């Protein structure tokens, strides 16, 4: 069963978007984190060359040409030139931010790159050794294609590929005539296989934030003589996001926690020796208490600092993004019934939690001498924030009025 | 803890003062001013809490010598103790001093810890503000400064829980504030992040601008590439043009010669083709024409002779025509004889008519000798053809006359032109001398141009040699460039040195703050060195290239100079020797001569034209004469054919035509008569008539009258005519043969003439001489063409394959021969300029590519975006934290309101009780908000008044109530310490003093020891009346001298003598005295007010004025409120209220009042 066509499908490089979700940047990982989108994207083109693919499909979202990033443009030109030297074609159907008409006119794309127009449905035929093998149908981001537009381009004798940076409006066309839907625009990979058709969102080569640990990558697709399509996911991310949970016994000491987290960190560094790791730590305390004030802010800060100091140099670098206690659920009712300040406090919070009509106005706490940019939008708490803020306020009350010393500022 | 007794070993003015058996309840110490009351109170403080520096400074060493210190006997719940404390002479400034606490029970000696435990949680600050208070301290509580006592007050006031609500609220507030404004001198994290974000946004903006520059750079690269391409094309074109110009300069002379030859060829105008002009052919035709003409002449002569012979035969055509009739008549002779008789009658009439006919013919004159019968033979038709021939002859003769007239006129014009043209010799040499003169002019002009060109080339060569010298000099760099290179290199070396030294010294040598300066210096130094070397090599290379360029140019100039000199020598050889050196003069002379010759050329043309016209007229006259001759012959032949004499002139023929008409009429009449005669005489007459008619018609003149004779005669005539006719037929046959030959010869002649005419007409020659002129001109033109072709071959050889004559032609048309050099130099300049620009563009292109590469590989934006993302995340997190804190505060506010309204604190309740007693029920409640640090008082009528708005006395009553309540609160917590009051009732009126004394006594009886100091007798007396332990302080001198001690006051109070005390009414501050909030606007604050606030007001105790103090207190209160508005910008320091800082022992009390300002 020899392969007929081999190509790579990738999208959403977002070269000019940084890694998100970090608050403090480790100096030693700074360059790795900044370069990760470029390195991941470069591995797509490296793979195309080493696998000697026939062509590369790019489903948009490569960079934001509206806010022209010189490096992104220079990077793409360099990679396209590499493919051109190997006679590998590139079919590129851009999103709104990297549509063909956004490309700077002064910079000429290599001849092996074909950019599909943003406002129309076009198709190109791929020939190999003079034999017509596939038809690439490009649906531009503003083309608003209907079924007829795409199906009108289909030829049943060849392998039909729809290339688009699109949403469900495009994929809604349920037709076996399209053999491969090369789509883009999702932050995580998604593949749906049917009898004669496969819908693929490759996701970005480098994930920008924590998505349940989903890795970034691209697709290596092989079409065999039997018309069977084999889609392989190739990992490309240089920064690996993960989350680890440790379980403590009640009244565990700081050293116990360090030992447990340390083992997990070493295990992570070994598993991902080629990548930098961004880890969100969580811990669960086995015991009757719903809240364990002894693992408070200082304790967590101390442990987090230790993790960062100890393992930021492990492997290619392991950075601890956060350390939080995994709560077991709501606070016990008895706390709400106490005739104490804490009880009063929790009851007040409860009233706000149960009654959305009670406005949470923080305007009185704003000072006039604080710059506007710092206070904009602070006083008015929207519904989305309200739940989280009230929940955190309840925990704050627990820590301040629960009998422990008031934490220092 | 209570004071049992104390002994002052030395403290201020006191030495050796002993106070024994101090009451456990209330003890009043009386003493006038300067008696040492405050000193004694400070002594108690010192014994409790040590010698603070101010106290040590004021009260030590004691006035009367010795060590400061003393002993205090204490009674506590755990036993009695004796506290001995003295200033440690070895550690004079040690506040603790030499402290010994001796247990009275077992004599155990303890240290400061024991004393601390005895005091409980009371520190000096609390003691000073709650337990040992004077007028100064009592107001401090009112100001609610940050002393621990005031804090405690509020903590106590708000009750106790796991934690303090106030603490938590303050904590949250501080944490919120810390987010915005930092803490403990550190900048707030949010502010730092804000700065970082601002900085990163600026950096990103800058990087985005660079990215925009990237697009512009790419545009520039395209533009520069386009320009380079254009320049390359331009250079290629200029090179081509330069080569063409060089070739044009090389072939310039030949080109000029060829142009001259071409012009001469062109001057020939339009000439027939060489193939069409053949003189030999013309000559052959002429020979044949002459031969044919000779033959024609022979034939004509023979024909004339035959014609003459034929004409000489007496053949009568009429008679011959009647041959058949005559032979028939002869056969009818008998019939004729019968008819003769009939004809006799009619003959007479016929004779008559014939006579008239003869008369008409005779009218024509003898000259014509025309018979009547001839006249009758002429028809209208024959006369008309004769008339046409005559008219044609007449016209041709008129044409000859006209041509002869034109010929004479042409001859006259020719004579005129020849006269103007001068002699025939001069005419002959006009065209030749014109050519020669033209060539001489050209040679002279070229000679002058060459002279100028040689001079110019010589100058150019000298300039180039000078340039070469200067470039050779520049190869050793000039001073200014050498200076630039040197200075740059030295700067580089110095920077490099600094950088290396800094790097070696660990980055601290140059800058204490930046460790990267050394690296920057090394980098800058290296760059400067590289730039210096680069400049040196660049300038030297440039000088070398310039030198090579100049040498190449000199070589070219020398070659051009050599060519010019060779050409000059050639021209000198062609020019006459006499003009040597006087080229301009000779050129002017030759040009004048040429101009004159050119003026004669048109006149010669007119002469030639006149001659041609003359020849043409001659030819036409000859032709016309031939035509006249031919027509004349035709005329005569026609006349002869018509039987008319050939001498007849056309005008005469017209007269004959007119008479012939009349003759015809007469003949008709005769015929009519004859017919009538035949009719009348029937057969005879008709026969006779027939014979007569036959005779007449046959033209035979026979004199006989008889018919038979006439018939016979006719027979004889017929026989004779038959012989003549036979002869004539022989002549006719010969004539016809000759005529055929004549016609053939004539046709041949016509053919030849036509051939000749065609030969001439083909070339457009109007005459044979013109034809021959064409031939000679063609020969001369062919010679010139051959010369031109020779020059063209030379030019083609010089042009080679790469250039065409059209290019050279265009250049000559554009620049002229003289302008080629200038054009070549101009093109060379353009080439140099284009190469220079090409170099600039190439450098610019390389620079742009490098810049694009740098911008394209700049990782700064990714790094900045990552940092910005992190900063913004942290900002969002901080803001969320603030919102959580603010929400927590909101919840605590809810609790606070509940506590304020429902859970009034115990301490304030107790204080309210004291206040009610002190004010005799005028004020019923003291309370405070949890947040806000403001004491409020409820009056009996339900109003709530802020403490700072109360009168001084009432306010002090409030503060005293709070002190008493606080002492009680401390006591309930186990902290029992004696209360020391220093004249705190001086501002009370008599009734309130009474009330206060009662309260204090009652309070002391509840277990709180009170030590009261006063200098006022009425106060002393009030306490005395209440059976308090009142002691009079001795004079300190007496204490030293005689060990005097305070003695109990024995005086009896005279209650009856007391003035009736007025009813107490709360004295509120007048509203007008209060500063309205509007007036507290920063702009509205009086200057004096501000200055006054910033001055430490000191009051002379001797001039103490309670009203003044009240006003000052109001001012201080207002300042505090104003501070709230202005954010503390007016007042400095703590919440110091001026009167509260006054102490009767402070040194400023003793200063004169003038120092207040």
């Amino acid at each position: 069963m020899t392969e007929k066509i081999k190509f790579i499908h990738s999208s959403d490089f977002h070269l000019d978007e940084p890694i998100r979700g970090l608050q403090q940047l480790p100096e030693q990982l700074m360059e790795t984190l900044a370069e990760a989108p470029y390195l991941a994207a470069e591995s797509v083109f490296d793979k195309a060359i080493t696998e000697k693919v026939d062509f590369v499909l790019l489903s948009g979202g490569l960079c934001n040409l509206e806010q022209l990033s010189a490096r992104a443009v220079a990077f793409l030109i360099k990679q396209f030139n590499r493919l051109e030297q190997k006679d590998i074609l590139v079919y590129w159907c851009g999103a709104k931010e990297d549509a063909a008409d956004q490309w700077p006119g002064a910079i000429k794309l290599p001849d092996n790159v074909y950019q599909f127009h943003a406002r129309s449905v076009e198709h190109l035929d791929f020939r190999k050794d003079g034999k017509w093998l596939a038809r690439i149908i490009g649906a531009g981001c503003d083309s608003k294609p209907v079924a007829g537009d795409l199906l009108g381009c289909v030829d049943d004798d060849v392998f039909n590929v729809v290339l688009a940076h699109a949403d469900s409006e495009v994929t809604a066309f349920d037709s076996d005539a399209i053999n491969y839907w090369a789509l883009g625009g999702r932050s995580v990979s998604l593949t749906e296989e049917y009898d004669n058709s496969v819908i693929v969102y490759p996701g970005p080569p480098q994930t920008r934030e924590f998505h349940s640990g989903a890795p970034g990558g691209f697709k290596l697709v092989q079409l065999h003589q039997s018309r069977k399509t084999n889609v392989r996911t190739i990992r490309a991310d240089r920064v690996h996001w993960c989350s680890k949970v440790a379980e403590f016994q009640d009244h565990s000491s700081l050293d116990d926690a360090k030992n447990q987290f340390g083992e997990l960190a070493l295990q992570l560094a070994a598993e991902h020796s080629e990548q930098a790791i961004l880890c969100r730590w969580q811990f669960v305390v086995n015991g009757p208490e719903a809240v364990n004030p002894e693992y408070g802010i200082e304790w967590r800060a101390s442990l987090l600092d230790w993790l960062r100091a100890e393992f930021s140099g492990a492997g290619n670098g392991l950075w601890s993004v956060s350390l939080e206690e995994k709560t077991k659920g709501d606070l016990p009712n008895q706390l709400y019934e106490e005739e104490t300040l804490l009880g009063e406090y929790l009851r007040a919070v409860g009233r706000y939690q149960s009654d959305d009509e009670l406005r949470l106005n923080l305007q009185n706490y704003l000072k006039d001498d604080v710059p506007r940019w710092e206070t904009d939008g602070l006083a008015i708490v929207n519904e989305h924030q309200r739940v989280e803020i009230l929940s955190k306020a309840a925990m704050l009350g627990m820590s301040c009025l629960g009998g422990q010393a008031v934490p220092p500022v | 803890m209570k004071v049992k007794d104390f002994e002052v070993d030395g403290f201020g003015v006191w030495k050796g003062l002993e106070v024994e058996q101090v009451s456990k309840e209330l003890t009043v110490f009386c003493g006038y001013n300067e008696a040492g009351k405050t000193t004694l109170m400070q002594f108690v403080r010192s014994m409790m809490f040590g010698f603070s520096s101010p106290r040590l400074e004021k009260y030590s060493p004691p006035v009367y010598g010795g060590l400061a210190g003393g002993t205090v006997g204490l009674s506590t719940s755990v036993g009695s103790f004796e506290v001995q404390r003295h200033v440690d002479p070895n550690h004079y400034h040690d506040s603790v001093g030499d402290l010994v606490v001796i247990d009275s029970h077992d004599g155990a000696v303890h240290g400061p810890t024991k004393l601390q435990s005895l005091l409980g949680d009371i520190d000096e600050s609390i003691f000073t503000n709650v337990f040992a208070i004077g007028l100064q301290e009592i107001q401090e509580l009112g100001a609610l400064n940050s002393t621990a006592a005031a804090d405690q007050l509020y903590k106590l006031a708000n009750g106790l829980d796991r934690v303090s609500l106030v603490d938590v609220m303050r904590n949250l507030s501080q944490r919120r504030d810390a987010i915005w404004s930092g803490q403990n001198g550190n900048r707030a994290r949010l502010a730092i992040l804000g700065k970082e974000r601002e900085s990163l946004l600026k950096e990103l903006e800058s990087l985005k601008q660079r990215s925009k520059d990237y697009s512009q750079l790419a545009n520039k690269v395209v533009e520069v590439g386009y320009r380079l391409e254009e320049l390359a094309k331009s250079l290629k074109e200029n090179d081509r043009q330069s080569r063409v110009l060089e070739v044009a300069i090389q072939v310039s002379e030949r080109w000029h010669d060829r142009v001259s030859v071409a012009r001469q060829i062109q001057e020939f105008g339009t000439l027939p083709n060489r193939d069409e002009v053949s003189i030999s052919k013309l000559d052959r035709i002429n020979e044949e024409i002459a031969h044919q003409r000779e033959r024609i002449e022979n034939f004509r002569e023979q024909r004339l002779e035959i014609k003459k012979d034929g004409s000489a035969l007496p053949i009568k055509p009429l008679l011959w025509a009647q041959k058949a009739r005559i032979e028939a008549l002869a056969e009818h002779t008998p019939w004729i004889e019968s008819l003769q008789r009939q004809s006799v009658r009619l003959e007479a009439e016929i004779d008559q008519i014939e006579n008239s006919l003869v008369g008409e013919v005779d009218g024509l004159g003898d000259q014509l000798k025309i018979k009547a019968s001839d006249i009758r033979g002429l028809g209208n038709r024959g006369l008309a053809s004769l008339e046409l021939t005559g008219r044609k002859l007449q016209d041709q003769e008129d044409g000859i006359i006209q041509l002869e007239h034109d010929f004479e006129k042409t001859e006259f014009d020719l004579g005129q032109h020849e006269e103007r043209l001068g002699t025939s010799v001069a005419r002959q040499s006009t065209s030749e001398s014109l050519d020669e003169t033209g060539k001489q002019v050209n040679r002279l002009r070229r000679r002058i141009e060459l002279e100028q060109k040689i001079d110019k080339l010589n100058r150019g060569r000298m300039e180039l040699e000078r340039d070469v010298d200067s470039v050779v000099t520049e190869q050793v760099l000039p001073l200014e460039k050498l200076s630039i290179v040197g200075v740059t290199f030295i700067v580089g070396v110095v920077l490099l040195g600094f950088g290396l030294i800094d790097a070696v010294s660990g980055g601290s040598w140059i800058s204490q703050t930046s460790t990267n300066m050394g690296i920057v210096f090394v980098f800058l130094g290296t760059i400067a060195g590289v730039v210096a070397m680069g400049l040196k090599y660049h300038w030297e290379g440039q000088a070398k290239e310039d030198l090579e360029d100049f040498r190449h140019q000199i070589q070219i100039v020398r070659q051009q100079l050599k060519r010019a000199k060779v050409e000059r020598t050639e021209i000198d050889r062609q020019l006459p020797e006499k003009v040597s050196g006087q080229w301009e003069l000779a050129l002017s002379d030759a040009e004048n001569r040429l101009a004159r010759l050119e003026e004669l050329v048109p006149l010669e043309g007119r002469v030639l034209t006149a001659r041609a016209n003359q020849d043409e007229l001659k030819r036409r006259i000859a032709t016309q004469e031939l035509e006249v001759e031919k027509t004349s012959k035709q005329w005569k032949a026609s006349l002869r054919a018509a039987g008319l004499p050939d001498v007849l002139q056309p005008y005469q023929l017209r007269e004959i035509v007119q008479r012939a008409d009349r003759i015809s009429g007469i003949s008709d009449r005769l015929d009519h008569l004859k017919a009538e005669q035949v009719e009348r005489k029937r057969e005879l007459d008709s026969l006779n008539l027939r014979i007569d008619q036959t005779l007449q018609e046959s033209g035979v003149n026979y004199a006989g009258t008889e018919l038979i004779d006439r018939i016979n005669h006719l027979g004889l005539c017929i026989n004779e005519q038959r012989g003549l006719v036979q002869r004539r037929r022989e002549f006719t046959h010969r004539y016809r043969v000759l005529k055929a030959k004549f016609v053939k010869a004539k046709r041949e002649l016509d053919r030849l003439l036509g051939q000749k005419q065609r030969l001439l007409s083909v070339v457009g020659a109007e005459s044979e001489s013109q034809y021959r002129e064409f031939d000679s001109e063609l020969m001369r033109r062919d010679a010139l063409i051959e010369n031109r072709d020779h020059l063209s071959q030379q030019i083609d050889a010089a042009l080679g394959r790469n250039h065409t004559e059209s290019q050279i032609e265009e250049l000559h048309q554009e620049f002229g021969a003289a302008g080629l050099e200038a054009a070549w130099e101009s093109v060379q300049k353009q080439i140099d300029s284009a190469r220079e620009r090409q170099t600039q563009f190439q450098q610019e292109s390389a620079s742009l590519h490098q810049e694009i590469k740098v911008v394209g590989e700049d990782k700064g934006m990714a790094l900045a975006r990552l940092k910005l993302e992190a900063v913004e995340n942290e900002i969002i997190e901080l803001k969320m934290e603030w919102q959580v804190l603010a929400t927590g505060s909101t919840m605590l506010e809810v609790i606070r309101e509940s506590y304020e309204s429902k859970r009034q604190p115990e301490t304030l309740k107790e204080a309210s009780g004291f206040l009610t007693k002190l004010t005799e029920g005028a004020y019923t409640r003291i309370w405070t908000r949890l947040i806000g640090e403001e004491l409020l008082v409820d009056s009996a009528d339900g109003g709530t008044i802020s403490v700072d708005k109360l009168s001084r006395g009432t306010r002090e009553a409030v503060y005293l109530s709070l002190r008493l309540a606080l002492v009680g609160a401390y006591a309930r917590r186990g902290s029992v310490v004696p209360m020391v009051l220093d004249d705190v009732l001086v501002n009370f009126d008599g009734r309130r003093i009474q009330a206060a004394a009662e309260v204090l006594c009652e309070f002391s009886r509840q277990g709180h020891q009170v030590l009261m100091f006063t200098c006022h007798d009425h106060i002393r007396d009030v306490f005395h009346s209440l059976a308090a332990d009142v002691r009079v302080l001795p004079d300190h001198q007496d204490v030293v001298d005689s060990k005097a001690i305070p003695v109990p006051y024995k005086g009896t109070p005279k209650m009856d003598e007391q003035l009736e005390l007025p009813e107490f009414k709360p004295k509120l501050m007048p509203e007008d005295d209060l500063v309205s909030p509007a007036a507290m606007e920063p702009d509205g604050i009086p200057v004096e007010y501000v200055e006054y606030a910033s001055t430490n007001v000191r009051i002379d105790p001797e001039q103490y004025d309670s009203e003044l103090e009240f006003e000052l207190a109001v001012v201080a209160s207002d300042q505090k409120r104003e501070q709230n508005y202005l954010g503390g910008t007016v007042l400095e320091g703590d919440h110091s209220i001026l009167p509260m800082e006054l102490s009767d022992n402070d040194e400023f009390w003793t200063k004169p009042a003038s120092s207040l300002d």
Side-chain angles (χ1 to χ4, degrees), chain A residues 16 20-23 34 68 70-71 106-107 338 341 345 352 365 367 370 373-374 378 388-389 406-407 409, chain B residues 161-162 171 175-177 180 183 194 197 211 219 856 858 865 869-870 873-874 879 883 887-888 890-891:
Chain A
D16 31 27
R20 290 189 286 271
L22 300 179
Q23 288 187 17
L68 179 66
R71 188 172 177 220
I107 299 161
E338 278 186 2
L341 286 175
Y345 181 92
Y352 277 89
Y365 301 104
K367 292 190 172 178
V370 177
W373 69 267
E374 292 178 348
L378 277 180
E388 185 181 359
I389 287 173
V406 177
V409 178
Chain B
D161 202 321
R162 294 190 183 98
N171 176 265
R175 286 168 68 179
R176 283 200 318 271
D177 292 346
W180 301 122
Q183 200 177 35
R197 183 172 73 165
S211 282
N219 273 326
D858 187 6
R865 280 191 168 131
E869 176 71 20
N873 279 337
E874 199 169 347
K879 287 183 176 179
Q883 285 177 315
T887 305
T890 303
M891 302 305 143

Side-chain angles (χ1 to χ4, degrees), chain B residues 150 436 649 657 661 731 750 795 827 848 922 984 996 998 1010 1040 1102:
Chain B
E436 186 60 33
Q649 295 299 320
V657 170
D661 291 335
F731 282 134
D750 289 342
I795 289 169
V827 170
L848 286 170
V984 294
E998 290 173 359
V1010 178
V1040 175
E1102 298 299 329

